[in-house]
Amino acid sequence: QVYLMANGAVADVADVFDTYVYRLGIQQSQFSFTSAVGMFKSVIGFILVIVANSLSKRFGEEGVY
């Protein structure tokens, strides 16, 4: 949705990780750099899930695992 809504007027401010990876990886063939960006995004997401799970268990709720 972000990629479809971005036009020339808002393209500079409408860039998120997913559209950035698509633009550099597919359109400009910078596969190694976009792989690193994708890996960074995955690691940060994993860390956020672990932190949210530990916080939910700390407050007495049921965690993800």
Side-chain angles (χ1 to χ4, degrees), residues 40-56:
F40 174 75
K41 181 181 167 189
S42 298
V43 168
I44 295 299
F46 180 72
I47 290 170
L48 288 175
V49 167
I50 297 298
V51 168
N53 189 48
S54 65
L55 284 175
S56 71

Side-chain angles (χ1 to χ4, degrees), residues 19-62:
T19 58
Y20 180 71
V21 167
Y22 172 76
R23 188 171 37 85
L24 286 180
I26 303 297
Q27 293 178 347
Q28 296 179 6
S29 300
Q30 293 182 4
F31 300 117
S32 61
F33 180 71
T34 55
S35 295
V37 171
M39 181 65 79
F40 174 75
K41 181 181 167 189
S42 298
V43 168
I44 295 299
F46 180 72
I47 290 170
L48 288 175
V49 167
I50 297 298
V51 168
N53 189 48
S54 65
L55 284 175
S56 71
K57 284 184 179 181
R58 186 173 293 168
F59 289 118
E61 299 294 326
E62 184 177 340

